[in-house]
Amino acid sequence: MIRFEHVDKRYDGGAPAVTDLTLEIPTGSITVFVGPSGCGKTTSLRMINRMVDATTGTIEVDGRDIAGIAPHQLRRSMGYVMQAGGLMPHRTIAENIATVPRLLGTPKAQARRRADELLATVGLDADLARRYPAQLSGGQQQRVGVARALAADPPILLMDEPFSAVDPVVRAELQNELLRLQDQLSKTIVFVTHDIDEAILLGDHVAVMGNGGVLQQFCPPSELLRAPANDFVAHFIGRDRGFRALSFRPATDLRWAPPADYSDADLAAAVEVPPSASIRAALDAALTSWSGLALAVEQDGTAVGVLDAAEIGRQIGGRDQDVVA
Ligand SMILES: Nc1ncnc2c1ncn2[C@@H]1O[C@H](COP(=O)(O)OP(=O)(O)OP(=O)(O)O)[C@@H](O)[C@H]1O
Ligand SMILES: [Mg+2]
């Protein structure tokens, strides 16, 4: 667990960057710091590995006050992923990934094998190992940044807007990859973003920060959507919070029509979702389908129900005003 207790940060007597931050980041899950530009997200993240030291207050990692741990020692247990990859341009991809293990004394050949493994882990071809960062796409560079942070197998991963420099499609891919990786690795991940959608998708817990680094709310994303703590949070989440909240409601809450009620042509043009999908996924499916229909299909291919977007809207609107607010 990482614990902030009454932490303040002021840079050289300037305005407060972080104000009286108290929160507990649980082990083995993803905690996201989200908020507008300049609200102290990066500062908060960097205080965890002592790239920045708190002005007052304490930060503990697994019960130890980090003020008493030498920064290089502390960072052995923490991978750090910088915005836009932060790769060293004159080193190959393999060398970039192997940097920390080499510093820690891992023999070259072993570090190299580990780099190859990690390329596979983050979904990159082994052929890329000999290239230089400039010879990779933005998305590939981001993946290398994640591989490098994982190289020494640290229990804690600090990620500062790691996916902000890529287009939305690649970004969605990287987000899903991270969730898949986390399923296997169960790291303690602290993830910074200014994108509330990313925070809601990735976070087991979300910390919303406001100006001056004042924590506004800290809770699981579903709670953030259901019960924003104040106007700042409600405004930050946006008017479509009801729509976002649908990600947390199962499509099994909906009353699906029997497929037999529809023509083969309509069904063929429907977009399929598993019955276990969220209502948001079902709605997305209906809205993107040619026939305007979402089709719930079991894993063995059996179609079990059909709905169109208007009917989904009626059903959720009728039962939960919050959702269409
Ligand atoms: N090294 C520094 N020296 C002085 N002031 C700094 C320094 N780093 C950050 N600040 C100030 O501290 C405040 C918080 O900055 P920080 O980088 O933590 O914000 P952020 O939430 O990460 O913003 P962004 O979303 O733009 O990355 C800002 O007012 C910033 O100008
Ligand atoms: Mg920042």
Side-chain angles (χ1 to χ4, degrees):
M1 184 176 35
I2 303 169
R3 192 175 151 70
F4 283 73
E5 205 169 322
H6 299 299
V7 171
D8 281 290
K9 176 64 191 178
R10 278 170 188 269
Y11 291 98
D12 334 299
V18 174
T19 305
D20 197 24
L21 181 61
T22 297
L23 63 81
E24 280 178 10
I25 294 170
T27 300
S29 61
I30 303 181
T31 297
V32 180
F33 287 173
V34 68
S37 184
C39 75
K41 305 179 295 293
T42 296
T43 300
S44 300
L45 191 73
R46 289 183 169 184
M47 286 194 287
I48 298 172
N49 70 0
R50 296 199 57 193
M51 287 168 77
V52 170
D53 279 323
T55 308
T56 58
T58 54
I59 299 172
E60 289 177 1
V61 174
D62 295 333
R64 286 183 68 196
D65 185 344
I66 63 168
I69 307 175
H72 71 274
Q73 189 88 33
L74 183 67
R75 289 175 203 157
R76 285 188 185 190
S77 65
M78 299 177 183
Y80 185 71
V81 186
M82 267 175 275
Q83 183 165 349
L87 303 178
M88 293 173 286
H90 304 300
R91 298 218 179 155
T92 65
I93 297 307
E95 287 164 352
N96 264 284
I97 295 174
T99 307
V100 174
R102 291 288 289 142
L103 284 174
L104 296 177
T106 306
K108 200 166 182 177
Q110 193 183 331
R112 179 57 212 259
R113 273 197 305 278
R114 176 85 179 126
D116 283 346
E117 263 172 42
L118 283 163
L119 279 174
T121 303
V122 298
L124 290 176
D125 203 289
D127 290 348
L128 299 182
R130 283 190 303 277
R131 291 206 206 162
Y132 290 88
Q135 297 169 315
L136 265 53
S137 73
Q140 289 169 331
Q141 289 183 37
Q142 303 270 22
R143 286 171 196 255
V144 173
V146 174
R148 186 176 57 173
L150 289 171
D153 201 22
I156 296 172
L157 214 51
L158 309 177
M159 308 180 81
D160 193 356
E161 308 222 20
F163 307 149
S164 59
V166 292
D167 67 65
V169 173
V170 173
R171 187 172 194 171
E173 260 174 43
L174 292 170
Q175 290 166 340
N176 287 321
E177 286 278 310
L178 180 68
L179 289 173
R180 182 187 60 76
L181 262 180
Q182 173 66 352
D183 256 1
Q184 303 164 8
L185 302 177
S186 300
K187 302 279 184 195
T188 303
I189 298 180
V190 190
F191 190 105
V192 163
T193 180
H194 58 260
D195 176 353
I196 186 69
D197 278 315
E198 187 164 71
I200 288 167
L201 176 72
L202 296 179
D204 295 301
H205 290 86
V206 177
V208 181
M209 298 179 72
N211 292 335
V214 179
L215 182 65
Q216 304 290 317
Q217 190 166 8
F218 182 53
C219 61
S222 55
E223 195 180 323
L224 202 63
L225 294 166
R226 189 172 47 74
N230 56 36
D231 285 351
F232 177 91
V233 176
H235 186 75
F236 192 70
I237 293 170
R239 289 165 56 100
D240 45 356
R241 80 179 163 95
F243 178 64
R244 300 185 207 280
L246 296 175
S247 306
F248 298 96
R249 289 185 53 191
T252 47
D253 278 4
L254 300 169
R255 294 179 306 279
W256 295 75
D261 291 358
Y262 291 82
S263 74
D264 286 349
D266 276 349
L267 294 180
V271 170
E272 296 182 7
V273 286
S276 61
S278 66
I279 293 182
R280 180 164 176 179
L283 190 55
D284 283 344
L287 290 170
T288 50
S289 142
W290 271 81
S291 52
L293 298 175
L295 180 63
V297 178
E298 302 273 13
Q299 217 156 25
D300 67 5
T302 316
V304 291
V306 183
L307 277 174
D308 65 41
E311 177 58 22
I312 294 173
R314 269 192 293 280
Q315 290 193 25
I316 58 184
R319 278 190 294 163
D320 184 353
Q321 286 308 317
D322 212 29
V323 157
V324 290

